[in-house]
Amino acid sequence: MSGLSGDNRAGGHNGVPVVVIGGGAIGLCIAFHLHRQGVPVHVVDRGPVGGGSSRGNAGWVCLSHSAPVPAPGVTWHAARSIGRPDSPLYLRPQPTLAFLRWLVMFQRSCSRKSFDHGYAAVARFAQNTFERFTELTDDGVVTTLTRPGLLHAFCSGEEARRVLETQRAMTGAGYEVPGEILNAAELAELDPAVGGKVTAGYLVRGEGVIDPNAFVESLAERLRKEGVTISEHTAVRGFRKSGGRVVAVRTTGDDIRCSSAVVSAGVWSADLLRLLDVRLPLQAGKGYSFSVKLDPAPVHPMYLGDKHVAVSPIGGTTRIAGTMELSGNNRRLDWRRIVAIARASRDYLGQWYDSPDELMALIHDPWVGGRPMLPDGLPVLDRVATTRNAYVATGHGMLGITLAPVTGKAMADYITTDRRPADLEPFRSDRFAGLTLHRRRETGEPL
């Protein structure tokens, strides 16, 4: 990578790597910025690089959609979704105390005050994401980023106005929303794919889209070329500690000595943190996507506002993604969810199929993945309370691609300077009560 001297400027590593657990967009961006600062890094992933929620998501790099999932009215929608697997938000209660606790904390986070705080915090944090993507490009990573703007389409003019007003309130976070709403004909002029029952919408200029799988693969390839070790299909089974610090990460292969460890393993992060005596209230928010050839194909990424569906032009096809399914940490693909997304899209993209029986032949790459969700909808980006040299970066939900580069820079700065960057304050781990499983060990850091 250009400008990298490998001089170990962070100090205190003595050639022993920081082990980053998780080879998705978040973990690889942390590794990138650590390496950029001259720190040796070893990335470990239980599967292939990018095999989690980084692979099949909508690929948005988007400042205007920084809202956390818990919001006023969401609890009511979640309750109505029980027993309705075609609902955009589908809740299938799990018979565990941890899931019940999570739901209680989620419900408390649905207040207007919590929503506004979370929206503002994430939007501020994301402000420099395009600058961070440029850094990746300058260092030889093929990000695939384009910035055609995000087209918002609605079947309801009232819903279009409501969403626009919510976004207008956050324009200080670095994006600009238009002053007026467009009608169906004006939207069709912007993008010929708009059709169906669309009556209103608008374009937020400058918003971006990437091919997330290609991005992650290019980032991993670039890191490998620069000497960063990436161990795939290597599960972490524990940590070796001495004097309150992690000295090695125990894997299904060899133990890996480390100067620090970063847990950025998506939905598996909570299991790893329990090995460090920390309980994190994290659940998998399952999302679905598929790709299809449309004619005409969208030229913009599109938000199908009434149905909360994302449409993205990726790799010569159209990726259609959506739903938030809370049904435990699993990768079971419920075909009814695919059908529900496809059916919802016809109200905006026209009658691109007639019967659900046709979908099996028309679509390809049906995908389901677990997004790491914390009950307030914000990530945790912090030092682990029980272990001085362990860190956690997880819980990005549907914003993993947007926030990956800024998360990577902020966490690398935290690790190399031993000082928490100010922009990480809203994402502290101690905002959740009772995180430690046992008596908290003193780390020496003021909280």
Side-chain angles (χ1 to χ4, degrees), residues 84 323 386 406:
R84 295 178 54 205
T323 82
T386 60
V406 289

Side-chain angles (χ1 to χ4, degrees), residues 288-370:
Y288 289 75
S289 74
F290 59 86
S291 297
V292 64
K293 288 277 190 179
L294 295 180
D295 185 19
V299 295
H300 298 84
M302 300 170 63
Y303 174 61
L304 313 185
D306 313 84
K307 299 296 177 65
H308 310 290
V309 169
V311 176
S312 298
I314 293 177
T317 65
T318 300
R319 179 171 294 174
I320 303 179
T323 82
M324 173 62 69
E325 177 181 325
L326 296 168
S327 61
N329 187 6
N330 61 76
R331 297 287 293 272
R332 291 191 296 271
L333 191 150
D334 186 338
W335 186 252
R336 294 172 297 180
R337 307 291 282 159
I338 296 288
V339 172
I341 296 170
R343 183 182 296 118
S345 73
R346 290 194 303 184
D347 289 344
Y348 305 81
L349 302 174
Q351 198 86 359
W352 61 268
Y353 75 94
D354 293 319
S355 166
D357 295 337
E358 301 174 43
L359 289 175
M360 193 71 77
L362 287 174
I363 72 174
H364 55 93
D365 296 330
W367 173 86
V368 60

Side-chain angles (χ1 to χ4, degrees), residues 21 26-27 30 262-266 269 273 280 372 379-382 384 391-396 407-408 411:
I21 306 168
I26 302 295
I30 294 171
V262 185
V263 176
S264 55
S269 297
L273 290 171
L280 190 68
V380 163
L381 309 172
D382 205 352
V384 174
Y391 300 82
V392 56
T394 193
H396 293 74
T407 295
M411 291 301 297

Side-chain angles (χ1 to χ4, degrees), residues 62-102:
C62 182
L63 303 182
S64 59
H65 277 266
S66 304
V69 171
V74 167
T75 304
W76 180 79
H77 286 291
R80 289 187 70 234
S81 77
I82 296 175
R84 295 178 54 205
D86 60 341
S87 173
L89 173 63
Y90 175 44
L91 174 63
R92 189 171 70 193
Q94 302 298 295
T96 66
L97 188 57
F99 191 77
L100 178 60
R101 285 198 197 101
W102 191 94

